[in-house]
Amino acid sequence: MLQLSLSLPKEDPLITMHRDLARTRREQIPPTWVMVIDLSKCIGCHACTLACATENNLPPGVVYRPVIEEEVGKYPNVGRRFLPRPCMHCQNPPCVPVCPVHATWKDDEGTVVIDYTKCIGCRFCLKACPYGARTSDFGENYANGTPELPGTLVGRNQIERGYARKTAPEYDKDWGDRRRASPVGNARKCHFCLHRVHNGQLPSCVTSCIGRATFFGNINDPKALVHRLVGSARTTRLKEHLGTDPHVYYLS
Amino acid sequence: MAAAVAPNRIVVIVAVGGLVLGAWGIMEALLYGTHATGLTSYVPWGLGVALYLTFLGFSAGGLPLALATTVFEKHEYEPLAGMVAWTVVVTELCAGLAIALDLGHMERMYRFLTSPAFTSPMAWMFVFFNALLLVYFLKIWAILKQNENHIRLLTYASIPIALLFYGTNGYIFGTLTYLPIWGGPLVPFYFIVAALMAGTALMCFLSWAFNYAPRLTIGVGYGVLALILLLVLLEFLMGITIINAGDSANHQALWAILFGRDAWVFWALHGGVGIILPIFFILRRSAAMAAWGSLCVMISFLATRWIFVIPPQSVPPLIGLDHAFIHERLAVHYTPLLGEWLIVLFVASLAMLALSLGPRLLPGLFHHGGSHV
């Protein structure tokens, strides 16, 4: 019993990671944000996918962090694996050099970002990403196909006013109502919730993870939790042979 | 030298009808952008890209003519120069329209000029696209002015620009080395050969349609035949390499082309209409037969582009990704919507109208029989 209690975490990793974020800001440690996902703790609840979609008001057909499910083995020895797949924020991102108009780049914090006002919507970057981490915003709307019922609480106009045309302040910018303007027509992807991180908050996929399987922090901070986790022998990355040097690590 | 021909009334009526019907697709694209397409995030390049590559191929007719008359000194083909210059300009502009309509934000195309990123093959494509267009605009002007020196100079200039331009389109795909079928150093060469085949076929057909000397049409027809055979050889080599290399994603993509839901496009349209029929027609050694064979190549060229662009995208970048989050915009299969087909109709009709009206709009291009290229 004593052994079990000693093996339990001493504090919620969320608190540890919040403290790490605060230290980066306080001590002005140049950040390079990384994410660590412990696959043995992921239970495939998809809460991170939904939290991300809610945080970023993602329209139908746009997803930043799907969770890939895989069945392994043969009956009676079967199991399921779950692989959350955010943007890898590669050190050598193949999606960046193919952009013909400098609309996407790797910023000073190691995050691959997109300027929606520059993107021409050629979708070259979607094809260039070996992880399929970019999706195109085709202008879908949750109110599509909903009939208008005047005088009632439901109906297309109500839905559009309520939430379907709302956009999130991605990249710390107000994008107005969803109509024909950006981000509609653009490439979109996970941006590590920079609008939250810049305000001392963790990305929404991290805070929503009920298994505490997702970790986030500054790899340049040796005291940070992610720094310790990345040093684990269990660490692996997706398609490492491509030389993209992803900033998302998996603990297998 | 060509005899004067009035535009065929039926062709003009069909083209105008196509423009009227196709305008609906253009309107949809302008109003709703990519929302009016059946594209998905895993198949983000669809009929619009295939259409662009098709017309780009048609515009390649100037390159074999320039090579024939300069490098190989086949001066008997020089009377075709004016018609081919007009064809290059028309088909390139049609290609430009097709790809502009395919962009999520076509109003930002000016950014190619204000902030081009030359790390991107697409930026180079833009450069060579405009360079080739400029050269052929100037060449039209020079032919009309009958300035032999300028014509010769522009013909020589067009050769490297055209090779780079058509190669760059393959370079766009070839750099995506992670993607099955697309990635690889052979792809730019494949694009050049495919473009030459389509461009030469268009040239052959028009030389017959505009009543140029039959021996010219037959000669160009043999060029089409040679290029068809070269394309078949390249496709065979690419296929056999993929089969023997053992990469599962490449296998999957090749199987999608050969036996997937678009297999009929490969076997019936590309193989049957695009290869077997033209070979049969061209070997009949008649100008009309060569023209009909070339027409088959032209009609099926959209299928040739389709099989390269669409089926390979049915392989998801990560296994299971297509089932991780279900939505029609996150599917690995793509079916074009009616609006996209109407754009094809509009662009094809526009090209047909402009080409058929060419002799009336610029008769000097189609009647000049001087010793220029």
Side-chain angles (χ1 to χ4, degrees), chain A residues 84-140:
Chain A
R85 201 270 7 241
C87 170
M88 299 291 132
H89 295 282
C90 309
Q91 187 60 38
N92 306 311
C95 55
V96 167
V98 299
C99 176
V101 293
H102 290 295
T104 184
W105 63 92
K106 197 160 175 68
D107 73 4
D108 296 340
E109 301 175 17
T111 313
V112 178
V113 295
I114 303 170
D115 187 337
Y116 291 154
T117 62
K118 291 179 180 170
C119 174
I120 61 168
C122 67
R123 307 180 294 282
F124 198 177
C125 55
L126 268 73
K127 291 314 303 177
C129 175
Y131 307 100
R134 288 180 176 234
T135 48
S136 182
D137 189 336
F138 290 102
E140 296 290 336

Short mmCIF file of all heavy atoms in Angstrom, two decimals, chain A residues 84-140:
data_model
loop_
_atom_site.label_atom_id
_atom_site.label_comp_id
_atom_site.label_asym_id
_atom_site.label_seq_id
_atom_site.Cartn_x
_atom_site.Cartn_y
_atom_site.Cartn_z
N PRO A 84 -3.35 10.11 -30.68
CA PRO A 84 -3.73 11.51 -30.96
C PRO A 84 -2.73 12.11 -31.93
O PRO A 84 -1.53 11.89 -31.81
CB PRO A 84 -3.63 12.18 -29.59
CG PRO A 84 -3.63 11.07 -28.60
CD PRO A 84 -2.98 9.91 -29.28
N ARG A 85 -3.22 12.86 -32.92
CA ARG A 85 -2.34 13.39 -33.96
C ARG A 85 -2.53 14.91 -34.15
O ARG A 85 -3.27 15.34 -35.03
CB ARG A 85 -2.59 12.65 -35.28
CG ARG A 85 -1.49 12.69 -36.31
CD ARG A 85 -1.57 13.88 -37.30
NE ARG A 85 -2.55 14.89 -37.04
CZ ARG A 85 -3.55 15.20 -37.86
NH1 ARG A 85 -3.71 14.58 -38.98
NH2 ARG A 85 -4.40 16.18 -37.55
N PRO A 86 -1.88 15.70 -33.29
CA PRO A 86 -1.90 17.15 -33.53
C PRO A 86 -0.92 17.49 -34.65
O PRO A 86 -0.32 16.60 -35.23
CB PRO A 86 -1.42 17.71 -32.20
CG PRO A 86 -0.52 16.65 -31.66
CD PRO A 86 -1.06 15.33 -32.15
N CYS A 87 -0.74 18.78 -34.95
CA CYS A 87 0.34 19.18 -35.85
C CYS A 87 1.65 18.85 -35.15
O CYS A 87 1.79 19.06 -33.94
CB CYS A 87 0.27 20.67 -36.14
SG CYS A 87 1.73 21.30 -37.01
N MET A 88 2.61 18.34 -35.89
CA MET A 88 3.87 17.92 -35.29
C MET A 88 4.82 19.11 -35.05
O MET A 88 5.85 18.96 -34.42
CB MET A 88 4.58 16.90 -36.19
CG MET A 88 3.79 15.64 -36.42
SD MET A 88 3.68 14.63 -34.94
CE MET A 88 1.93 14.29 -34.91
N HIS A 89 4.50 20.26 -35.59
CA HIS A 89 5.35 21.46 -35.46
C HIS A 89 6.82 21.10 -35.69
O HIS A 89 7.69 21.39 -34.87
CB HIS A 89 5.13 22.13 -34.11
CG HIS A 89 3.74 22.66 -33.96
ND1 HIS A 89 3.32 23.82 -34.54
CD2 HIS A 89 2.66 22.14 -33.34
CE1 HIS A 89 2.03 24.02 -34.29
NE2 HIS A 89 1.60 23.01 -33.55
N CYS A 90 7.05 20.48 -36.84
CA CYS A 90 8.37 19.96 -37.17
C CYS A 90 9.44 21.05 -37.16
O CYS A 90 9.16 22.22 -37.47
CB CYS A 90 8.35 19.33 -38.56
SG CYS A 90 7.03 18.15 -38.81
N GLN A 91 10.64 20.63 -36.81
CA GLN A 91 11.77 21.56 -36.91
C GLN A 91 12.07 21.85 -38.38
O GLN A 91 12.48 22.95 -38.74
CB GLN A 91 13.00 20.95 -36.22
CG GLN A 91 14.19 21.88 -36.09
CD GLN A 91 13.88 23.13 -35.29
OE1 GLN A 91 13.14 23.08 -34.29
NE2 GLN A 91 14.43 24.27 -35.72
N ASN A 92 11.88 20.84 -39.23
CA ASN A 92 12.05 21.01 -40.68
C ASN A 92 10.70 20.73 -41.36
O ASN A 92 10.51 19.69 -41.97
CB ASN A 92 13.09 20.03 -41.23
CG ASN A 92 14.39 20.14 -40.48
OD1 ASN A 92 14.92 21.22 -40.29
ND2 ASN A 92 14.91 19.01 -40.04
N PRO A 93 9.78 21.66 -41.23
CA PRO A 93 8.42 21.36 -41.70
C PRO A 93 8.31 21.34 -43.22
O PRO A 93 8.58 22.36 -43.87
CB PRO A 93 7.59 22.51 -41.11
CG PRO A 93 8.56 23.60 -40.86
CD PRO A 93 9.90 22.99 -40.65
N PRO A 94 7.92 20.23 -43.82
CA PRO A 94 7.79 20.18 -45.29
C PRO A 94 6.69 21.09 -45.81
O PRO A 94 6.68 21.44 -46.99
CB PRO A 94 7.44 18.72 -45.58
CG PRO A 94 7.71 17.98 -44.33
CD PRO A 94 7.58 18.94 -43.21
N CYS A 95 5.75 21.47 -44.93
CA CYS A 95 4.63 22.30 -45.38
C CYS A 95 5.05 23.75 -45.60
O CYS A 95 4.38 24.48 -46.34
CB CYS A 95 3.50 22.25 -44.35
SG CYS A 95 4.02 22.69 -42.69
N VAL A 96 6.13 24.18 -45.00
CA VAL A 96 6.51 25.60 -45.05
C VAL A 96 7.15 26.00 -46.39
O VAL A 96 6.69 26.94 -47.04
CB VAL A 96 7.41 25.97 -43.85
CG1 VAL A 96 8.07 27.33 -44.06
CG2 VAL A 96 6.59 25.97 -42.57
N PRO A 97 8.20 25.30 -46.84
CA PRO A 97 8.83 25.77 -48.08
C PRO A 97 7.96 25.66 -49.32
O PRO A 97 8.23 26.33 -50.31
CB PRO A 97 10.08 24.88 -48.21
CG PRO A 97 9.81 23.70 -47.38
CD PRO A 97 8.91 24.14 -46.27
N VAL A 98 6.93 24.83 -49.29
CA VAL A 98 6.09 24.70 -50.49
C VAL A 98 5.08 25.83 -50.63
O VAL A 98 4.53 26.03 -51.72
CB VAL A 98 5.33 23.35 -50.53
CG1 VAL A 98 6.30 22.19 -50.54
CG2 VAL A 98 4.33 23.24 -49.39
N CYS A 99 4.86 26.58 -49.57
CA CYS A 99 3.90 27.69 -49.66
C CYS A 99 4.46 28.74 -50.62
O CYS A 99 5.54 29.27 -50.41
CB CYS A 99 3.66 28.31 -48.29
SG CYS A 99 2.56 29.74 -48.39
N PRO A 100 3.73 29.05 -51.68
CA PRO A 100 4.31 29.96 -52.70
C PRO A 100 4.30 31.43 -52.30
O PRO A 100 4.91 32.23 -53.00
CB PRO A 100 3.41 29.73 -53.91
CG PRO A 100 2.10 29.30 -53.35
CD PRO A 100 2.40 28.57 -52.07
N VAL A 101 3.62 31.77 -51.20
CA VAL A 101 3.47 33.20 -50.89
C VAL A 101 3.85 33.55 -49.44
O VAL A 101 3.39 34.57 -48.91
CB VAL A 101 2.02 33.68 -51.17
CG1 VAL A 101 1.73 33.62 -52.66
CG2 VAL A 101 1.01 32.87 -50.40
N HIS A 102 4.66 32.75 -48.80
CA HIS A 102 5.12 33.02 -47.43
C HIS A 102 3.96 33.16 -46.44
O HIS A 102 4.03 33.98 -45.53
CB HIS A 102 5.95 34.31 -47.37
CG HIS A 102 7.29 34.20 -48.02
ND1 HIS A 102 8.28 33.39 -47.57
CD2 HIS A 102 7.79 34.82 -49.12
CE1 HIS A 102 9.35 33.50 -48.33
NE2 HIS A 102 9.08 34.36 -49.29
N ALA A 103 2.92 32.36 -46.61
CA ALA A 103 1.78 32.48 -45.71
C ALA A 103 1.93 31.59 -44.48
O ALA A 103 1.12 31.67 -43.56
CB ALA A 103 0.49 32.13 -46.45
N THR A 104 2.93 30.74 -44.45
CA THR A 104 3.14 29.87 -43.29
C THR A 104 4.63 29.79 -43.00
O THR A 104 5.44 29.83 -43.92
CB THR A 104 2.52 28.46 -43.55
OG1 THR A 104 2.65 27.67 -42.38
CG2 THR A 104 3.18 27.75 -44.71
N TRP A 105 4.95 29.74 -41.73
CA TRP A 105 6.36 29.72 -41.35
C TRP A 105 6.50 29.16 -39.93
O TRP A 105 5.49 28.95 -39.25
CB TRP A 105 6.96 31.12 -41.42
CG TRP A 105 6.35 32.10 -40.48
CD1 TRP A 105 6.76 32.40 -39.21
CD2 TRP A 105 5.18 32.91 -40.70
NE1 TRP A 105 5.94 33.34 -38.65
CE2 TRP A 105 4.96 33.67 -39.54
CE3 TRP A 105 4.30 33.06 -41.79
CZ2 TRP A 105 3.89 34.57 -39.42
CZ3 TRP A 105 3.25 33.96 -41.66
CH2 TRP A 105 3.06 34.70 -40.49
N LYS A 106 7.72 28.93 -39.55
CA LYS A 106 8.00 28.47 -38.19
C LYS A 106 8.37 29.69 -37.37
O LYS A 106 9.33 30.39 -37.71
CB LYS A 106 9.16 27.47 -38.23
CG LYS A 106 9.26 26.64 -36.98
CD LYS A 106 10.06 25.38 -37.22
CE LYS A 106 10.24 24.65 -35.90
NZ LYS A 106 8.99 24.11 -35.39
N ASP A 107 7.63 29.96 -36.32
CA ASP A 107 7.87 31.20 -35.57
C ASP A 107 8.99 31.03 -34.55
O ASP A 107 9.59 29.96 -34.42
CB ASP A 107 6.57 31.72 -34.94
CG ASP A 107 6.13 30.89 -33.75
OD1 ASP A 107 6.85 29.95 -33.35
OD2 ASP A 107 5.05 31.19 -33.20
N ASP A 108 9.26 32.11 -33.81
CA ASP A 108 10.38 32.11 -32.86
C ASP A 108 10.19 31.10 -31.73
O ASP A 108 11.14 30.78 -31.02
CB ASP A 108 10.54 33.51 -32.25
CG ASP A 108 10.91 34.52 -33.31
OD1 ASP A 108 11.39 34.09 -34.37
OD2 ASP A 108 10.70 35.73 -33.09
N GLU A 109 8.95 30.66 -31.52
CA GLU A 109 8.67 29.73 -30.43
C GLU A 109 8.64 28.28 -30.91
O GLU A 109 8.20 27.39 -30.20
CB GLU A 109 7.35 30.12 -29.76
CG GLU A 109 7.38 31.54 -29.21
CD GLU A 109 6.04 31.99 -28.66
OE1 GLU A 109 5.18 31.14 -28.39
OE2 GLU A 109 5.86 33.21 -28.50
N GLY A 110 9.07 28.07 -32.16
CA GLY A 110 9.13 26.70 -32.69
C GLY A 110 7.80 26.18 -33.18
O GLY A 110 7.66 24.99 -33.46
N THR A 111 6.82 27.06 -33.28
CA THR A 111 5.49 26.65 -33.69
C THR A 111 5.28 26.99 -35.17
O THR A 111 5.63 28.09 -35.59
CB THR A 111 4.42 27.38 -32.85
OG1 THR A 111 4.81 27.29 -31.48
CG2 THR A 111 3.06 26.78 -33.03
N VAL A 112 4.73 26.08 -35.91
CA VAL A 112 4.42 26.36 -37.32
C VAL A 112 3.07 27.07 -37.37
O VAL A 112 2.07 26.54 -36.90
CB VAL A 112 4.38 25.06 -38.16
CG1 VAL A 112 4.01 25.36 -39.60
CG2 VAL A 112 5.73 24.35 -38.10
N VAL A 113 3.08 28.27 -37.90
CA VAL A 113 1.87 29.10 -37.89
C VAL A 113 1.46 29.45 -39.33
O VAL A 113 2.24 29.33 -40.26
CB VAL A 113 2.08 30.39 -37.07
CG1 VAL A 113 2.31 30.08 -35.61
CG2 VAL A 113 3.25 31.21 -37.63
N ILE A 114 0.22 29.90 -39.44
CA ILE A 114 -0.32 30.31 -40.75
C ILE A 114 -0.86 31.73 -40.61
O ILE A 114 -1.52 32.04 -39.63
CB ILE A 114 -1.48 29.39 -41.20
CG1 ILE A 114 -1.04 27.93 -41.27
CG2 ILE A 114 -2.04 29.84 -42.56
CD1 ILE A 114 -2.19 26.96 -41.46
N ASP A 115 -0.58 32.57 -41.59
CA ASP A 115 -1.25 33.87 -41.65
C ASP A 115 -2.43 33.73 -42.59
O ASP A 115 -2.27 33.67 -43.81
CB ASP A 115 -0.28 34.95 -42.16
CG ASP A 115 -0.89 36.34 -42.06
OD1 ASP A 115 -2.15 36.44 -42.03
OD2 ASP A 115 -0.14 37.33 -42.00
N TYR A 116 -3.63 33.69 -41.98
CA TYR A 116 -4.83 33.48 -42.79
C TYR A 116 -5.04 34.58 -43.82
O TYR A 116 -5.68 34.36 -44.85
CB TYR A 116 -6.07 33.40 -41.89
CG TYR A 116 -6.15 32.17 -41.01
CD1 TYR A 116 -6.85 32.20 -39.82
CD2 TYR A 116 -5.56 30.98 -41.39
CE1 TYR A 116 -6.96 31.08 -39.01
CE2 TYR A 116 -5.65 29.85 -40.60
CZ TYR A 116 -6.36 29.91 -39.41
OH TYR A 116 -6.46 28.79 -38.62
N THR A 117 -4.53 35.75 -43.54
CA THR A 117 -4.77 36.86 -44.47
C THR A 117 -3.85 36.79 -45.69
O THR A 117 -4.04 37.54 -46.64
CB THR A 117 -4.56 38.22 -43.78
OG1 THR A 117 -3.19 38.29 -43.36
CG2 THR A 117 -5.47 38.39 -42.59
N LYS A 118 -2.85 35.92 -45.62
CA LYS A 118 -1.94 35.79 -46.76
C LYS A 118 -2.20 34.52 -47.57
O LYS A 118 -1.82 34.45 -48.74
CB LYS A 118 -0.49 35.77 -46.26
CG LYS A 118 -0.02 37.10 -45.69
CD LYS A 118 1.41 36.99 -45.21
CE LYS A 118 1.88 38.33 -44.65
NZ LYS A 118 3.17 38.19 -43.96
N CYS A 119 -2.78 33.53 -46.93
CA CYS A 119 -2.97 32.22 -47.57
C CYS A 119 -3.89 32.37 -48.79
O CYS A 119 -4.96 32.95 -48.70
CB CYS A 119 -3.57 31.24 -46.55
SG CYS A 119 -4.01 29.65 -47.25
N ILE A 120 -3.43 31.81 -49.93
CA ILE A 120 -4.24 31.90 -51.15
C ILE A 120 -5.14 30.67 -51.33
O ILE A 120 -5.93 30.62 -52.26
CB ILE A 120 -3.36 32.08 -52.41
CG1 ILE A 120 -2.41 30.88 -52.58
CG2 ILE A 120 -2.59 33.38 -52.35
CD1 ILE A 120 -1.71 30.85 -53.92
N GLY A 121 -4.98 29.70 -50.45
CA GLY A 121 -5.84 28.51 -50.52
C GLY A 121 -5.48 27.55 -51.64
O GLY A 121 -6.36 26.91 -52.21
N CYS A 122 -4.18 27.41 -51.93
CA CYS A 122 -3.77 26.48 -53.01
C CYS A 122 -3.70 25.04 -52.51
O CYS A 122 -3.64 24.11 -53.30
CB CYS A 122 -2.42 26.88 -53.59
SG CYS A 122 -1.03 26.69 -52.45
N ARG A 123 -3.63 24.87 -51.21
CA ARG A 123 -3.66 23.56 -50.55
C ARG A 123 -2.42 22.71 -50.84
O ARG A 123 -2.45 21.49 -50.68
CB ARG A 123 -4.95 22.80 -50.90
CG ARG A 123 -6.20 23.60 -50.63
CD ARG A 123 -7.46 22.88 -50.96
NE ARG A 123 -7.64 22.62 -52.35
CZ ARG A 123 -8.06 23.52 -53.26
NH1 ARG A 123 -8.37 24.73 -52.85
NH2 ARG A 123 -8.19 23.20 -54.52
N PHE A 124 -1.36 23.35 -51.27
CA PHE A 124 -0.09 22.63 -51.50
C PHE A 124 0.43 22.10 -50.17
O PHE A 124 0.93 20.98 -50.07
CB PHE A 124 0.91 23.60 -52.14
CG PHE A 124 2.08 22.94 -52.82
CD1 PHE A 124 3.02 23.73 -53.48
CD2 PHE A 124 2.27 21.57 -52.83
CE1 PHE A 124 4.11 23.15 -54.13
CE2 PHE A 124 3.36 20.98 -53.47
CZ PHE A 124 4.27 21.78 -54.12
N CYS A 125 0.29 22.92 -49.12
CA CYS A 125 0.81 22.52 -47.80
C CYS A 125 0.07 21.29 -47.26
O CYS A 125 0.63 20.47 -46.55
CB CYS A 125 0.71 23.67 -46.81
SG CYS A 125 -0.94 24.37 -46.64
N LEU A 126 -1.21 21.17 -47.64
CA LEU A 126 -1.98 20.00 -47.19
C LEU A 126 -1.35 18.72 -47.73
O LEU A 126 -1.27 17.70 -47.04
CB LEU A 126 -3.44 20.08 -47.67
CG LEU A 126 -4.46 20.74 -46.74
CD1 LEU A 126 -4.25 22.23 -46.70
CD2 LEU A 126 -5.87 20.42 -47.18
N LYS A 127 -0.94 18.79 -49.00
CA LYS A 127 -0.33 17.61 -49.61
C LYS A 127 1.09 17.40 -49.11
O LYS A 127 1.58 16.27 -49.07
CB LYS A 127 -0.33 17.74 -51.14
CG LYS A 127 -1.66 17.68 -51.81
CD LYS A 127 -2.60 16.59 -51.36
CE LYS A 127 -2.13 15.19 -51.45
NZ LYS A 127 -3.13 14.22 -50.91
N ALA A 128 1.77 18.49 -48.75
CA ALA A 128 3.17 18.36 -48.36
C ALA A 128 3.34 17.79 -46.96
O ALA A 128 4.39 17.22 -46.65
CB ALA A 128 3.85 19.73 -48.44
N CYS A 129 2.32 17.93 -46.11
CA CYS A 129 2.46 17.44 -44.73
C CYS A 129 2.38 15.91 -44.72
O CYS A 129 1.37 15.33 -45.11
CB CYS A 129 1.37 18.01 -43.84
SG CYS A 129 1.42 17.30 -42.18
N PRO A 130 3.44 15.25 -44.28
CA PRO A 130 3.42 13.77 -44.28
C PRO A 130 2.54 13.18 -43.19
O PRO A 130 2.36 11.96 -43.12
CB PRO A 130 4.89 13.40 -44.06
CG PRO A 130 5.54 14.59 -43.49
CD PRO A 130 4.72 15.79 -43.83
N TYR A 131 2.00 14.04 -42.32
CA TYR A 131 1.16 13.56 -41.22
C TYR A 131 -0.32 13.87 -41.45
O TYR A 131 -1.15 13.57 -40.60
CB TYR A 131 1.62 14.19 -39.90
CG TYR A 131 3.09 13.99 -39.65
CD1 TYR A 131 4.00 15.02 -39.90
CD2 TYR A 131 3.58 12.78 -39.19
CE1 TYR A 131 5.37 14.84 -39.71
CE2 TYR A 131 4.94 12.59 -38.99
CZ TYR A 131 5.82 13.62 -39.25
OH TYR A 131 7.17 13.42 -39.06
N GLY A 132 -0.62 14.53 -42.54
CA GLY A 132 -2.02 14.91 -42.82
C GLY A 132 -2.56 15.84 -41.76
O GLY A 132 -3.74 15.82 -41.43
N ALA A 133 -1.67 16.70 -41.22
CA ALA A 133 -2.07 17.53 -40.08
C ALA A 133 -2.79 18.82 -40.49
O ALA A 133 -3.26 19.55 -39.63
CB ALA A 133 -0.84 17.88 -39.25
N ARG A 134 -2.82 19.09 -41.78
CA ARG A 134 -3.49 20.32 -42.21
C ARG A 134 -4.83 19.97 -42.86
O ARG A 134 -4.92 19.00 -43.61
CB ARG A 134 -2.63 21.09 -43.21
CG ARG A 134 -1.42 21.73 -42.56
CD ARG A 134 -0.60 22.48 -43.57
NE ARG A 134 0.49 23.17 -42.91
CZ ARG A 134 0.74 24.47 -43.04
NH1 ARG A 134 -0.02 25.22 -43.80
NH2 ARG A 134 1.74 25.03 -42.39
N THR A 135 -5.82 20.75 -42.55
CA THR A 135 -7.11 20.58 -43.22
C THR A 135 -7.48 21.90 -43.87
O THR A 135 -6.98 22.95 -43.49
CB THR A 135 -8.22 20.16 -42.23
OG1 THR A 135 -8.18 21.01 -41.09
CG2 THR A 135 -8.05 18.73 -41.78
N SER A 136 -8.33 21.80 -44.86
CA SER A 136 -8.78 23.01 -45.54
C SER A 136 -10.15 23.39 -44.99
O SER A 136 -10.98 22.52 -44.75
CB SER A 136 -8.87 22.74 -47.04
OG SER A 136 -9.25 23.91 -47.71
N ASP A 137 -10.36 24.67 -44.82
CA ASP A 137 -11.66 25.15 -44.38
C ASP A 137 -12.49 25.41 -45.64
O ASP A 137 -12.30 26.41 -46.34
CB ASP A 137 -11.49 26.44 -43.57
CG ASP A 137 -12.80 26.86 -42.91
OD1 ASP A 137 -13.87 26.48 -43.42
OD2 ASP A 137 -12.75 27.58 -41.88
N PHE A 138 -13.39 24.48 -45.92
CA PHE A 138 -14.19 24.59 -47.15
C PHE A 138 -15.44 25.45 -46.94
O PHE A 138 -16.31 25.49 -47.81
CB PHE A 138 -14.59 23.19 -47.63
CG PHE A 138 -13.42 22.39 -48.16
CD1 PHE A 138 -12.83 21.41 -47.39
CD2 PHE A 138 -12.90 22.65 -49.42
CE1 PHE A 138 -11.76 20.66 -47.88
CE2 PHE A 138 -11.83 21.92 -49.91
CZ PHE A 138 -11.26 20.92 -49.14
N GLY A 139 -15.53 26.09 -45.80
CA GLY A 139 -16.67 26.98 -45.55
C GLY A 139 -17.91 26.25 -45.09
O GLY A 139 -19.03 26.76 -45.21
N GLU A 140 -17.72 25.04 -44.56
CA GLU A 140 -18.87 24.31 -44.03
C GLU A 140 -19.40 25.03 -42.78
O GLU A 140 -18.67 25.75 -42.10
CB GLU A 140 -18.48 22.88 -43.66
CG GLU A 140 -18.03 22.02 -44.83
CD GLU A 140 -19.16 21.66 -45.76
OE1 GLU A 140 -20.32 21.67 -45.33
OE2 GLU A 140 -18.87 21.40 -46.94
#
